[in-house]
């Protein structure tokens, strides 16, 4: 018994010892895990500011010291306070002490706008709300306060950091006006240039015909009568240019009231002095050197234009055609010169400010995503506040809020199609929805995360939305989606709406819940296959955004949001999360490489050609856990492909029918089919198609069939005259040589028998001469293949403006807006044709695009 008792006691001691050891091991494990997390992801101590963040800017991300934890970041709060970080957001300091003197109150140092120089990274202006503005030449180490007046707008020169333009009000109400002032010593002294300025901008000195002192502006005539009331458009305002600081100036576009700059394109909206609601768009494709009027297939009463995109050698323009489509607008695409526009997409959704759901996928050629009105679905009931907003600002109305559908193009707007829905959700369940597609939120979504892509993260897209027949506004139906092939396929990565960001060239994805306050964020090193939660603070924060430096190469992020009435700034450094750097970029696809090659495949054609070329990108394998590094250089290989139908879009005056063919717009005159008034050698006859701008295809059957044709000018062209002179010279030489040879042989006659051979030659020359005089062929054969019989007269020469576009009847106006009831196409690819009218189509917000809306009236005192 004693032995048994001893044994039991020993067993109890052993069990207790094991329990203690297990507890110690558990504590060590927890400590190690905590230590690993703290050492792997470095979260800075949260920095509280006086209110929420409204602006954040990296200053010298392209400077020589632009390395991780070495970049300067500025933040402006809603209350006008400015904060600066010298180490990528890890530590912050208020700029108020450097900007205000001891006798000033805090409100006197409020900043309305932060303006940073493109000419020199150390120069910046903090524009105040009142009489003060602050100028710095050392990135905020010191400030010089300028009390010149209450500036309305400030522009820093793109090349000379000392040159500054600014406007401020002069005169008394109601005859107040804006005057333009110049400083050539960075705000130390100013001189007045011109009065009654409504908009202004520096010219680009690198553009043809533009100098360092060139200034473009919309200026009201000095002798014009005083304005009565607050009229949107003013016929007495002209778009002018000066190349000598307004010692002299010249009018470029009469009645040009507003302009927007999207290098290299300049756009000017000029009003019709007879009908003030009509506006024409003028375009320059060379930085403001030469302007031409834009041509649209419909001459409607446009109230405003908005340039949506101009990054890939052409322009997308949103045109508002009137009050009936105030919740949506048509989008047109230009050729390379930005002048001649064809309809690309009808009924693109927009808000009352004119901002539309139209997004370019960065890092992928020719890919755009848009939301279009779903007029088949019953509108959502409009709340009282939304209805009041619509009545005041012209957005929405008492008809309710329209549903929308998402569409995507892989050939730059030539053809659109729905987004492919994922087959399973983020929990592995099958998605059961026959005939459904994916619909994602754009810039007008408000609280939900918008479409987001980065140039440094080729092919990667994050967005929020839902699978269904249209986009749903309910929070419980919104999920987060991801595409790694530029929108061709999608997968759900998380339930609910999140805000997100890419880092390390797309190798790192970070996101946080943006619908409720949280203490954690999620990150993934394998493009969403697995997500890891990381607690960034013990207190809940309403996360508004997660952002990294503009190049997208860093592993450092700044999370900002709100806690109570304060703003919160937290730096997140993932630089030490993985010690191993990716290898094998020179042998992609092999077992020893962390990289693979990816070639985008055009969903509208067989093969892997996009925009007329096969592009192979080097990207990290999805399942690999490694980082690219700040200095990683992405490799691309490009090869041109033979041309196919998908490399072409409809030319000006044409649009798609239900057979995927380009046909002339109804009631459009057959303009452009004949020779111009001043024809030189050749002229071009449209085929109804034009190559998609930026497309680089070469050869192929489609190129010969669809390219516009060059025909010889009628009559005697300069080339024909030159050829005729050569032929006559040869005939003369031939005659002289023949005469001398026959004379040497003893022949002296000039009879027909002796000139039979020469007669044959002259007969051939006569045929050639007839061909030269007829401009390359007989009139009946010259237009062989055109759909219409065309006579050669001045009716086919293009005018100087939109005279080639008819003033529409009511029925054609409805046709332009896409609301005529006609049959729908059988295919799921969306066609821009009359047949589509009955079947309507269907991270971070991008920087705001300036609108060509009317200039604002001067404020009341």
């Amino acid at each position: 018994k004693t032995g048994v008792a001893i044994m039991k006691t020993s067993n109890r001691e052993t069990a207790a010892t094991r329990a203690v050891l297990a507890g110690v091991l558990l504590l060590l494990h927890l400590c190690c895990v905590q230590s690993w997390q703290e050492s792997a992801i470095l979260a800075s101590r949260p920095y509280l500011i006086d209110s929420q963040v409204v602006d954040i800017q990296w200053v010298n991300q392209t400077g020589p010291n632009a390395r991780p934890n070495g970049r300067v970041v500025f933040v402006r709060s809603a209350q006008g306070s400015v904060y600066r970080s010298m180490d990528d957001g890890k530590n912050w300091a208020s700029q108020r002490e450097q900007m205000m003197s001891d006798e000033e109150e805090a409100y006197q140092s409020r900043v309305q706008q932060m303006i940073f120089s493109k000419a020199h990274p150390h120069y910046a202006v903090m524009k105040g709300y009142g009489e003060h503005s602050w100028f710095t030449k050392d990135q905020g180490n010191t400030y010089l306060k300028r009390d010149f007046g209450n500036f309305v707008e400030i522009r820093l020169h793109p090349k000379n950091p000392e040159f500054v333009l600014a406007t401020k009000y002069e005169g008394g109400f109601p005859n107040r006006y804006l005057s333009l002032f110049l400083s050539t010593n960075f705000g130390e002294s100013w001189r007045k240039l011109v009065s009654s300025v409504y908009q202004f901008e520096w010219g680009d000195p690198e553009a043809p015909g533009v100098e360092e002192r060139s200034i473009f502006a919309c200026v009201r005539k000095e002798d014009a009568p005083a304005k009565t009331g607050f009229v949107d458009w003013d016929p007495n305002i002209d778009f002018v240019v000066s190349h000598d600081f307004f010692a002299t100036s010249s009018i470029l576009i009469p009645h040009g009231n507003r302009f927007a700059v999207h290098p290299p394109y300049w756009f000017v909206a000029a009003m019709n002095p007879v009908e003030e609601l009509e506006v024409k768009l003028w375009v320059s494709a060379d930085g403001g050197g030469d302007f031409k009027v834009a041509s649209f297939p419909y001459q409607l009463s446009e109230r405003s234009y908005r340039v949506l995109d101009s990054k890939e050698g052409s322009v997308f323009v949103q045109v508002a055609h009137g009050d009936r489509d105030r919740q949506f607008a048509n989008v047109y695409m230009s050729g390379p010169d930005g002048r001649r526009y064809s309809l690309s997409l009808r009924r693109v959704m927009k808000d009352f400010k004119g901002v539309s759901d139209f997004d370019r996928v960065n890092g992928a050629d020719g890919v755009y995503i848009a939301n279009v009105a779903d007029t088949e679905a019953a509108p959502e009931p409009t709340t009282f506040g939304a209805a009041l907003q619509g009545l005041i600002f012209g957005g929405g109305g008492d008809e309710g809020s329209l549903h929308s559908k998402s569409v995507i193009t892989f050939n730059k707007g030539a053809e659109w199609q729905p987004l492919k829905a994922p087959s399973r959700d983020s929990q592995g369940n099958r998605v059961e929805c026959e005939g459904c597609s994916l619909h994602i939120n754009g810039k007008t979504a408000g609280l939900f995360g918008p479409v987001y892509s980065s140039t440094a993260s080729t092919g990667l897209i994050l967005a929020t939305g839902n699978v269904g027949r249209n986009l749903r506004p309910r929070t419980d139906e919104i999920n987060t989606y991801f595409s790694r092939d530029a929108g061709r396929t999608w997968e759900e990565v998380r339930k609910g709406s999140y805000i997100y960001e890419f880092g390390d060239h797309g190798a790192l994805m970070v996101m946080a819940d943006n619908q409720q306050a949280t203490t954690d964020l999620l990150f993934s090193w394998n493009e969403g296959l697995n997500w890891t939660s990381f607690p960034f603070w013990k207190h809940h924060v309403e996360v508004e955004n997660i952002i990294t430096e503009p190049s997208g190469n860093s592993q450092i992020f700044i999370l900002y949001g709100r806690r109570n009435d304060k703003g919160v700034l937290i730096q997140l450094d993932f630089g030490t999360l993985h010690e191993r750097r990716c290898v094998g970029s020179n042998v992609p696809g092999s077992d020893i490489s962390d990289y693979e090659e990816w070639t985008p495949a055009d969903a509208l054609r067989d093969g892997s050609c996009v925009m007329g070329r096969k592009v192979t990108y080097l990207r990290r394998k999805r399942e690999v856990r490694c980082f690219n590094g700040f200095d990683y250089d992405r490799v691309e290989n490009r090869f041109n492909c033979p041309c196919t139908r998908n490399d072409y879009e409809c030319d000006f005056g044409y649009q798609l029918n239900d057979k995927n063919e380009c046909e002339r717009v109804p009631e459009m005159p057959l303009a452009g089919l004949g020779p111009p008034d001043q024809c030189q050698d050749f002229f071009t006859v449209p085929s109804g198609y034009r190559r998609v701008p930026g497309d680089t295809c070469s050869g192929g059957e489609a190129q010969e069939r669809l390219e516009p044709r060059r025909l010889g000018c009628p009559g005697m062209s300069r080339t024909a005259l030159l050829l005729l002179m050569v032929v006559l010279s040869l005939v003369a030489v031939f005659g002289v040589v023949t005469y001398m040879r026959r004379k040497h042989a003893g022949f002296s006659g000039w009879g027909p028998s002796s000139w039979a051979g020469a007669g044959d030659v002259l007969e051939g020359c006569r045929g050639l001469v007839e061909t030269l005089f007829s401009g390359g062929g007989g009139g009946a054969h010259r237009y062989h293949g055109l759909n219409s019989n065309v006579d050669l007269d001045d009716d086919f020469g293009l005018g100087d403006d939109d005279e080639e576009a008819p003033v529409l009847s009511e029925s054609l106006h409805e046709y332009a807006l896409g609301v005529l009831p006609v049959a729908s196409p059988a295919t799921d690819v969306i066609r821009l044709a009359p047949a589509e009218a009955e079947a309507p189509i269907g991270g971070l917000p991008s920087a705001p695009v300036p609108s060509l809306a009317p200039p604002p009236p001067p404020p009341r005192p």
Side-chain angles (χ1 to χ4, degrees):
K1 290 182 179 179
T2 303
V4 173
I6 293 174
M7 185 178 296
K8 289 183 178 179
T9 302
S10 177
N11 289 338
R12 285 196 297 267
E13 290 176 352
T14 302
T17 302
R18 289 175 178 173
V20 172
L21 290 175
V24 172
L25 291 174
L26 179 61
L27 289 175
L28 289 174
H29 173 73
L30 293 175
C31 291
C32 290
V33 171
Q34 181 70 17
S35 175
W36 175 85
Q37 288 184 342
E38 291 179 354
S39 63
I41 304 177
L42 301 179
S44 68
R45 182 177 180 180
Y47 186 82
L48 300 182
I49 61 177
D50 58 10
S51 55
Q52 71 183 95
V53 174
V54 295
D55 189 15
I56 180 169
Q57 295 194 40
W58 272 259
V59 177
N60 65 329
Q61 69 271 10
T62 58
N65 62 336
R67 306 298 297 175
N69 284 315
R71 290 174 288 260
V72 179
V73 190
F74 280 83
V75 160
R76 181 173 63 89
S77 72
Q79 293 188 12
S81 300
V82 176
Y83 303 86
R84 184 184 67 159
S85 171
M86 302 292 290
D87 51 10
D88 266 319
K90 185 176 182 180
N91 298 286
W92 295 89
S94 173
Q95 300 294 281
R96 180 161 290 172
E97 293 183 0
Q98 288 100 309
M99 296 170 64
M100 63 180 294
S101 58
D102 296 336
E103 64 274 9
E104 288 181 322
E105 298 292 337
Y107 73 89
Q108 293 179 298
S109 63
R110 295 175 61 209
V111 172
Q112 185 180 18
Q113 184 182 11
M114 303 186 301
I115 308 167
F116 296 93
S117 173
K118 296 179 180 179
H120 197 293
H122 290 177
Y123 281 63
V125 178
M126 305 296 165
K127 185 171 80 71
Y129 279 93
E131 298 290 321
H132 312 310
S133 291
W134 295 265
F135 292 68
T136 177
K137 294 184 179 181
D138 51 17
Q139 293 185 336
N141 291 332
T142 58
Y143 291 91
L144 295 174
K145 185 174 69 173
R146 307 298 188 189
D147 299 329
F148 184 70
N150 189 354
F151 291 123
V152 177
E153 289 186 90
I154 297 176
R155 295 284 188 274
L156 304 184
H157 196 277
K159 299 298 181 182
N160 191 329
E162 294 287 332
F163 286 5
V164 186
L165 289 174
T167 53
K168 69 175 183 178
Y169 279 106
E170 292 187 322
F173 190 81
N175 297 319
R176 299 182 71 192
Y177 55 87
L178 282 171
S179 294
L180 181 62
F181 293 83
L182 167 71
S183 173
T184 57
N185 49 18
F186 201 57
E188 184 176 345
S189 61
W190 298 83
R191 65 185 176 96
K192 184 176 178 179
L193 298 183
V194 63
S195 298
S196 299
V197 173
Y198 284 79
Q199 195 179 359
F200 65 96
E201 188 58 82
W202 289 104
D204 182 2
E206 297 181 356
V210 180
E211 304 172 7
E212 185 182 49
R213 300 187 298 169
S214 296
I215 302 171
F216 295 86
C218 292
V219 181
R220 197 169 192 269
K221 295 181 175 67
E222 294 182 359
D223 56 350
K227 292 182 63 175
T228 58
F230 297 100
V231 181
D232 286 344
W233 299 92
D234 189 344
N236 296 302
I237 297 177
D238 300 317
F239 180 66
V240 305
V241 63
S242 173
H243 299 294
D244 52 11
F245 291 153
F246 274 94
T248 60
S249 64
S250 57
I251 297 176
L252 288 178
I253 301 175
H255 318 301
N257 277 217
R258 195 72 175 166
F259 67 89
V261 182
H262 295 256
Y265 299 98
W266 284 60
F267 305 89
V268 180
M271 70 164 292
N272 183 343
V274 179
E275 175 53 62
E276 67 176 27
L277 294 182
E278 289 188 358
V279 188
K280 280 195 180 297
L281 184 67
W282 291 74
V283 184
S284 170
D286 58 0
D290 181 34
F291 283 87
K292 295 181 180 179
V293 68
S295 300
F296 290 86
Y298 306 106
Q299 191 180 59
L300 305 177
S301 298
E302 297 96 358
R303 296 184 66 91
S304 66
Y305 299 90
R306 177 175 286 266
V307 180
L308 301 178
D309 183 78
S310 61
K311 297 294 185 181
E312 296 184 7
S314 63
V315 182
F316 283 100
V317 172
Q318 167 189 302
V319 182
H321 291 301
D323 293 336
R324 279 176 289 183
D325 58 331
R326 55 193 170 194
Q327 294 188 52
F328 54 84
N330 287 352
V331 172
Y332 299 84
M333 189 179 75
S334 77
D337 61 355
R339 178 175 173 250
R340 296 168 66 86
Y341 289 81
S342 297
L343 181 64
S344 177
L345 191 59
R346 289 195 182 101
R347 302 183 297 277
V348 176
M349 298 297 295
K350 65 182 181 68
D351 62 13
F352 71 95
K353 296 179 181 178
V355 177
S356 60
D357 286 346
F358 190 93
D359 295 279
R360 176 168 51 90
V361 176
N362 296 300
D365 296 338
V367 183
Y368 294 80
I369 299 175
N371 285 335
V372 296
D374 180 10
T375 54
E376 288 184 340
E380 288 282 331
T382 304
T383 62
F384 174 77
L388 182 61
Q389 174 180 280
L391 291 174
I392 295 175
F393 297 104
D398 56 5
E399 71 272 16
S401 177
L402 293 175
H403 287 289
S404 62
K405 293 184 176 182
S406 296
V407 292
I408 189 170
T409 177
F410 300 106
N411 55 359
K412 205 171 184 180
E415 294 178 288
W416 297 81
Q417 64 181 10
L419 276 66
K420 184 178 180 180
S423 59
R424 295 186 180 273
D425 65 10
S426 56
Q427 299 173 351
N429 303 318
R430 289 190 60 84
V431 177
E432 303 291 346
C433 187
E434 184 177 356
C436 296
S437 59
L438 176 64
H439 308 281
I440 56 181
N441 290 293
K443 292 188 285 289
T444 64
L447 299 177
F448 300 127
V451 178
Y452 181 64
S453 59
S454 171
T455 304
S457 307
T458 302
L460 305 187
I461 312 173
L462 279 166
T464 61
N466 62 273
V467 174
R469 303 194 182 280
N470 49 49
L471 184 62
R472 306 299 299 167
R474 292 173 54 93
T475 304
D476 58 349
E477 297 183 56
I478 297 298
N479 302 308
T480 302
Y481 296 88
F482 170 68
S483 173
R484 69 187 305 262
D485 53 11
R488 288 157 178 83
T489 59
W490 295 83
E491 57 189 83
E492 181 185 296
V493 293
R494 209 72 183 176
K495 295 290 185 182
S497 174
Y498 286 76
I499 195 70
Y500 22 71
E501 178 63 289
F502 296 110
D504 190 38
H505 304 269
L508 178 60
M509 294 164 54
V510 180
M511 65 182 186
D513 193 327
N514 69 336
Q515 296 300 301
Q516 57 187 356
T518 182
T519 61
D520 301 336
L521 62 82
L522 299 171
F523 68 91
S524 174
W525 280 93
N526 53 18
E527 297 180 0
L529 289 178
N530 304 104
W531 293 90
T532 303
S533 177
F534 173 73
F536 57 83
W537 198 20
K538 63 181 179 180
H539 298 294
H540 284 75
V541 175
E542 297 177 41
V543 179
E544 295 180 329
N545 217 337
I546 304 173
I547 189 171
T548 188
E549 51 86 26
S551 69
N553 302 332
S554 176
Q555 300 175 45
I556 298 175
F557 301 82
I558 296 177
L559 179 149
Y560 65 86
R562 291 179 294 176
R563 176 169 171 78
N564 300 324
D565 59 343
K566 301 294 184 180
V568 180
L569 294 165
I570 302 175
Q571 187 210 62
L572 303 166
D573 189 352
F574 290 79
T576 58
L577 185 60
H578 294 288
E579 296 183 357
R580 189 174 75 86
R581 183 162 180 172
C582 301
V583 296
S585 60
N586 57 332
V587 285
S590 65
D591 294 338
I592 62 173
S593 176
D594 296 320
Y595 294 94
E596 64 182 2
E597 291 184 331
W598 170 61
T599 301
D602 193 334
L604 299 177
R605 72 157 92 201
D606 296 329
S608 54
C609 293
V610 179
M611 296 293 292
R613 52 189 173 268
K614 179 179 180 180
V615 184
T616 301
Y617 298 96
L618 185 69
R619 67 179 182 182
R620 198 197 62 172
K621 295 177 181 178
R622 186 173 189 180
E623 67 279 0
V624 173
R625 295 175 63 89
C626 62
F627 68 93
N628 291 309
F630 186 82
D631 54 353
Y632 167 70
D633 187 15
R634 187 178 298 276
V635 179
E636 298 180 11
N637 294 312
R638 296 171 177 256
F639 304 94
N640 290 338
C641 301
C643 296
T644 69
R645 166 66 183 85
N646 294 306
D647 296 305
Y648 293 84
E649 63 179 357
C650 292
D651 202 351
F652 172 77
Y654 293 80
Q655 61 186 20
L656 284 176
N657 59 21
D658 56 355
K659 298 180 181 178
N660 196 29
E661 298 172 344
C662 293
E663 63 181 11
R664 291 199 68 85
V665 173
E667 301 184 23
M668 278 287 292
L670 300 178
L673 297 183
D677 292 337
Q678 311 231 337
C679 187
Q680 296 183 357
D681 298 338
F682 298 94
F683 66 98
T684 301
V685 176
S687 64
Y689 300 84
R690 67 182 180 191
R691 192 177 302 190
V692 174
D695 193 294
T696 59
C697 71
S698 178
E701 178 270 337
Q703 181 174 7
E704 181 178 353
R705 178 170 54 92
L706 300 179
E707 287 283 349
R709 290 179 297 139
R710 295 182 64 201
L711 299 179
C713 294
M716 178 63 70
S717 66
R718 289 183 298 179
T719 304
L721 182 61
L722 179 61
L723 291 176
L724 177 62
M725 293 178 62
V726 171
V727 170
L728 293 178
S729 300
L730 292 175
V731 171
V733 171
F734 177 80
V736 171
V737 171
T738 302
Y739 171 77
M740 296 299 296
R741 292 179 61 188
R742 293 183 64 83
K743 183 177 180 180
H744 180 73
F747 294 94
S748 60
W750 290 87
S753 59
S754 64
W755 286 97
D760 293 339
V761 174
L762 292 175
E763 182 64 23
C765 294
R766 185 178 65 84
L768 176 61
V769 171
E770 290 179 352
T771 301
L772 295 177
F773 272 95
S774 64
H781 300 283
R782 195 177 319 164
Y783 297 99
H784 178 72
L786 296 180
N787 294 329
S788 304
N789 294 325
V790 181
D791 295 326
L792 292 179
D793 55 36
D794 293 338
D795 292 339
F796 300 106
L798 298 181
D800 295 330
D801 52 20
D802 266 345
E803 293 176 358
E804 60 205 271
V807 178
L808 302 181
S809 62
E810 185 65 20
S811 62
L812 191 51
H813 184 285
E814 298 288 351
Y815 181 86
L817 301 183
V819 295
L820 284 182
V822 290
S824 62
T827 177
D828 61 349
V829 177
I830 295 162
R831 308 299 184 191
L832 304 178
E836 64 140 18
E838 192 177 52
I841 305 172
L844 304 175
S846 59
V849 180
S851 173
L852 294 177
R860 295 181 180 273

